[in-house]
Amino acid sequence: MDKPEGPGPAPATKITYIDGRPTTITLRRCKLALMRGGELKEMLFEQDVVTIGAMEDNDLVVDDETVSRNHCRIIREGDQYIIKDLGSTNGTFVNRVRIREAFLHENCTLTCGKTDIKFQPVDEKLRIVPSDRERYGDILGRDRTMREIYAILEKIAPTDTTVVIEGETGTGKEVVARTIHQTSRRKDGPFMVFDCGAVPENLIESELFGHEKGSFTGAIATRQGVFEMGHGGTVFLDELGELAIDLQPKLLRVLEQREVKRVGGGKPIKVDVRVVAATNRDLEEEVRAGRFREDLFYRLTVVRLKLPPLRERREDIDLLASHFLTSGRFNRDRLGGRKVTSFAPAVVDRLRGYEWPGNVRELHNVVERAVSFAEGEIVELADLPEHIAYPRNGSAPSLPDETNPNIELPDSGSVRPSISGPFKDAKEQWVASFEEDYIAALLRKNKGNISHAAREADIDRKYFRKLMKKYGISADDA
């Protein structure tokens, strides 16, 4: 009874939307029941993979001498469950038919050795009501969309459900991932972060899965990978869409079998981790384009969370900016007190009106920069970066009219380039103003993606980042 052909899987944990808003979340679980000592024992499993066997490290341990140490494995694929025999001595049966791999149906009976196990999928439908809180863990925001995300996290964080967090650069995907970990049963375990876009391709496999001594040039010692080091905790795969296509089957193997093989090693090593991933790419589009494996997509996207960009939650800008003033180490004097206490009304207006291509991360860096420029306890307009304080629609500074050499300054005291003084000094000011506007405009155009913006500018990404740092502009690597 081999695995039959079937339609493409759908997410097992479903979030239902009406008019673009989440209304319900359906959590799917696996219930297994077996007879032990003359009484029926039922167990509920929330994870995607359930292992069955005689060894103590299985999820369901069966005390039966006819059951192999690692007998079989149940895997959730979308809204379907599949059982795979692991080369057991006495075989795995579904409704008395021996199988290697098969779909499981409601109320079917699994037989391992002489032990019968009843299988039952359990769906729990929960209504999503926006939370009334302004923060959840380390996530801050009173916007309705954020409060709906809190309601979803309250339901899924305590489980082992795999989560993919989608959103533009700088929206706080890692903060959400950490919050999921901190509010889960794994909170006392490690939280391992792996940036799929920041590690050279020739080292990614070793970083993820580890390597044995001598397995390649430079491997002078055996080394654990991220999944081994994350055992008992959570592994956060950042920028998942950047993972090379040839490494995706190996990641799929970890997710399905919960074991890794080090580079140069032959022995599989069991790992117990929850996987949370993040991407600023559209993974469905990546699948259609052949850059991301469909089976890995369905394995990962059990729950998909979409974080809104900051420009769509403007009522949170004041809240976040004030929070950064209160909690930021950059806003501390020698005695530990706050150097800056508030923002001038004009500053608040500018912060609310800016588009924030770098989202929350850009806001944080702008606040930090403003504190360093502030001369008193209040952030003034002149303390903000010029492209925010005195916006010119992201365009390059316009040259003065020859018939009117006087440059009109905004009422609040702009530091726009001057045409007075030596040519060299004036030129440096104009070039600096152009560079700042140009970099900011390119980042907005490319939605904060530094790699794409640098490519369009035809300059090296490191130099592009240097210019960003020079002018206090921030966005994350894409």
Side-chain angles (χ1 to χ4, degrees), residues 247-260:
L247 288 174
Q248 292 175 22
K250 296 177 181 179
L251 176 58
L252 181 63
R253 175 186 174 89
V254 176
L255 296 172
E256 284 191 345
Q257 303 186 12
R258 290 298 193 257
E259 61 185 29
V260 297

Side-chain angles (χ1 to χ4, degrees), residues 27 29 46 136 151-161 179-186 274:
L27 298 177
R29 298 180 173 95
E46 297 172 334
Y136 182 81
I152 294 171
L153 292 178
E154 288 170 355
K155 304 295 191 299
I156 66 170
T159 73
D160 271 346
T161 301
T179 298
I180 291 173
H181 172 72
Q182 291 163 1
T183 53
S184 74
R185 66 179 182 85
R186 298 174 178 270
R274 180 184 193 168

Side-chain angles (χ1 to χ4, degrees), residues 147-334:
R147 292 187 290 112
E148 288 170 345
I149 288 174
Y150 301 161
I152 294 171
L153 292 178
E154 288 170 355
K155 304 295 191 299
I156 66 170
T159 73
D160 271 346
T161 301
T162 304
V163 182
V164 170
I165 307 165
E166 300 174 325
E168 294 180 8
T169 298
T171 47
K173 296 186 286 292
E174 183 172 338
V175 174
V176 174
R178 285 187 182 276
T179 298
I180 291 173
H181 172 72
Q182 291 163 1
T183 53
S184 74
R185 66 179 182 85
R186 298 174 178 270
K187 62 183 179 181
D188 295 326
F191 179 80
M192 303 299 300
V193 179
F194 182 80
D195 189 337
C196 299
V199 179
E201 282 194 21
N202 62 323
L203 295 178
I204 287 181
E205 186 174 4
S206 171
E207 291 289 325
L208 280 174
F209 312 124
H211 63 253
E212 297 290 350
K213 179 179 179 181
S215 56
F216 55 85
T217 303
I220 59 176
T222 296
R223 186 179 184 280
Q224 290 185 328
V226 167
F227 282 97
E228 280 187 78
M229 291 188 285
H231 184 78
T234 303
V235 171
F236 174 52
L237 301 176
D238 199 8
E239 299 300 354
L240 177 68
E242 304 291 335
L243 189 66
I245 191 77
D246 59 322
L247 288 174
Q248 292 175 22
K250 296 177 181 179
L251 176 58
L252 181 63
R253 175 186 174 89
V254 176
L255 296 172
E256 284 191 345
Q257 303 186 12
R258 290 298 193 257
E259 61 185 29
V260 297
K261 283 187 179 179
R262 294 174 182 165
V263 177
K267 180 183 177 182
I269 300 168
K270 287 188 175 293
V271 291
D272 172 25
V273 297
R274 180 184 193 168
V275 174
V276 179
T279 180
N280 60 11
R281 295 193 180 192
D282 184 338
L283 287 186
E284 287 185 274
E285 179 59 37
E286 294 296 298
V287 169
R288 286 192 289 270
R291 292 187 293 266
F292 201 85
R293 288 178 61 104
E294 185 177 25
D295 48 3
L296 179 58
F297 171 77
Y298 286 119
R299 166 63 55 228
L300 285 165
T301 53
V302 178
V303 169
R304 299 169 68 184
L305 286 179
K306 177 73 172 179
L307 299 187
L310 188 55
R311 62 183 175 274
E312 294 180 5
R313 44 183 291 224
R314 292 188 184 275
E315 66 176 287
D316 288 340
I317 292 175
D318 300 5
L319 181 68
L320 289 164
S322 298
H323 170 71
F324 296 147
L325 278 187
T326 303
S327 62
R329 293 182 180 178
F330 56 81
N331 191 27
R332 292 287 180 269
D333 57 26
R334 292 180 180 178

Side-chain angles (χ1 to χ4, degrees), residues 270-477:
K270 287 188 175 293
V271 291
D272 172 25
V273 297
R274 180 184 193 168
V275 174
V276 179
T279 180
N280 60 11
R281 295 193 180 192
D282 184 338
L283 287 186
E284 287 185 274
E285 179 59 37
E286 294 296 298
V287 169
R288 286 192 289 270
R291 292 187 293 266
F292 201 85
R293 288 178 61 104
E294 185 177 25
D295 48 3
L296 179 58
F297 171 77
Y298 286 119
R299 166 63 55 228
L300 285 165
T301 53
V302 178
V303 169
R304 299 169 68 184
L305 286 179
K306 177 73 172 179
L307 299 187
L310 188 55
R311 62 183 175 274
E312 294 180 5
R313 44 183 291 224
R314 292 188 184 275
E315 66 176 287
D316 288 340
I317 292 175
D318 300 5
L319 181 68
L320 289 164
S322 298
H323 170 71
F324 296 147
L325 278 187
T326 303
S327 62
R329 293 182 180 178
F330 56 81
N331 191 27
R332 292 287 180 269
D333 57 26
R334 292 180 180 178
L335 299 177
R338 283 198 287 168
K339 294 187 295 183
V340 173
T341 59
S342 61
F343 302 96
V347 170
V348 175
D349 289 341
R350 287 290 193 271
L351 295 181
R352 288 174 179 168
Y354 182 57
E355 286 299 299
W356 299 109
N359 293 294
V360 179
R361 183 175 289 108
E362 183 183 7
L363 175 61
H364 177 278
N365 285 353
V366 165
V367 172
E368 182 174 355
R369 177 189 187 275
V371 168
S372 68
F373 276 69
E375 295 182 355
E377 293 184 349
I378 299 176
V379 172
E380 301 291 349
L381 206 57
D383 301 325
L384 296 178
E386 187 181 354
H387 68 282
I388 298 177
Y390 314 113
R392 293 189 294 276
N393 298 320
S395 60
S398 55
L399 293 173
D401 188 337
E402 291 180 0
T403 63
N404 181 13
N406 297 317
I407 300 176
E408 183 181 350
L409 297 177
D411 294 338
S412 49
S414 170
V415 290
R416 287 182 63 187
S418 170
I419 60 170
S420 62
F423 170 78
K424 179 181 178 182
D425 293 344
K427 178 183 176 182
E428 287 179 356
Q429 290 183 40
W430 282 101
V431 168
S433 183
F434 163 75
E435 286 180 343
E436 182 177 356
D437 284 345
Y438 181 74
I439 295 300
L442 269 185
L443 282 170
R444 281 195 293 271
K445 181 179 177 183
N446 289 278
K447 298 181 179 180
N449 190 308
I450 296 175
S451 298
H452 293 177
R455 192 177 302 122
E456 183 171 339
D458 197 24
I459 60 178
D460 184 76
R461 188 173 71 166
K462 290 183 179 178
Y463 182 62
F464 194 97
R465 291 182 70 89
K466 184 177 179 181
L467 290 174
M468 291 169 55
K469 184 176 181 181
K470 178 179 178 181
Y471 298 112
I473 303 170
S474 177
D476 194 18
D477 277 319

